[in-house]
């Protein structure tokens, strides 16, 4: 399954997740992805572009394609599960307000920002 191979690569899901709210340029996307290395980000963006899950706008920002939006909607149940999981293993995590954890799940393995997303399409 090519999709599992693509999304199973480190940072691929995170990139999709960070693009859920709209287009981002390379540097802002890199910051949102915990300052991942430029070379890895470039590689993942190329893979996601080739898979037609994201595309690059004329102003060089990246955004989800309709296929990418479908993938994002498919990830919502996983994000909700990640929130419950994080609360189970770190009940105080939801009360944190420091820069790194404000509104975010504090576990790098999780998908999501800790904020429940309620779309009518879910």
């Amino acid at each position: 399954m090519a999709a599992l191979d693509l999304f199973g690569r480190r940072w691929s899901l995170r990139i999709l997740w960070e693009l859920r709210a709209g287009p981002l340029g390379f540097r802002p996307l890199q910051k949102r992805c915990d300052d991942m290395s430029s070379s890895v980000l470039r590689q993942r963006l190329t893979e996601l572009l080739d898979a037609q899950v994201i595309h690059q706008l004329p102003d060089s920002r990246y955004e989800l394609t309709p296929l990418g939006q479908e993938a994002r909607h498919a990830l919502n149940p996983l994000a909700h599960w990640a929130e419950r999981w994080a609360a189970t293993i770190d009940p105080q995590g939801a009360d944190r307000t420091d820069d790194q954890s404000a509104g975010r799940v504090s576990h790098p393995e999780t998908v999501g920002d800790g904020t429940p997303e309620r779309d009518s399409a879910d």
Side-chain angles (χ1 to χ4, degrees):
M1 299 197 92
L4 290 179
D5 290 337
L6 175 66
F7 295 139
R9 293 188 179 114
R10 185 167 184 175
W11 297 110
S12 293
L13 288 177
R14 177 71 180 268
I15 292 167
L16 288 182
W17 190 254
E18 296 301 341
L19 291 173
R20 76 193 180 284
L24 288 171
F26 188 90
R27 295 277 183 229
L29 184 56
Q30 185 178 29
K31 286 282 182 210
R32 288 197 183 181
C33 291
D34 300 324
D35 285 320
M36 69 189 292
S37 77
S38 296
S39 61
V40 171
L41 179 56
R42 212 174 271 93
Q43 182 179 6
R44 291 300 173 267
L45 288 171
T46 298
E47 293 165 355
L48 293 168
L49 285 163
D50 290 346
Q52 299 178 12
V53 177
I54 64 170
H55 71 260
Q56 193 168 15
L57 298 169
D59 64 4
S60 297
R61 293 180 304 157
Y62 297 90
E63 76 174 349
L64 297 175
T65 63
L67 281 174
Q69 288 291 346
E70 286 182 42
R72 183 187 67 81
H73 287 292
L75 291 172
N76 281 340
L78 180 59
H80 296 297
W81 174 87
E83 293 166 14
R84 291 188 304 276
W85 169 74
T88 299
I89 63 170
D90 185 9
Q92 289 79 32
D95 297 333
R96 292 191 189 136
T97 57
D98 61 85
D99 290 341
Q100 290 235 323
S101 62
R104 294 185 168 258
V105 174
S106 61
H107 304 281
E109 304 83 27
T110 62
V111 175
D113 68 353
T115 305
E117 188 167 286
R118 306 286 186 239
D119 289 12
S120 58
D122 286 348

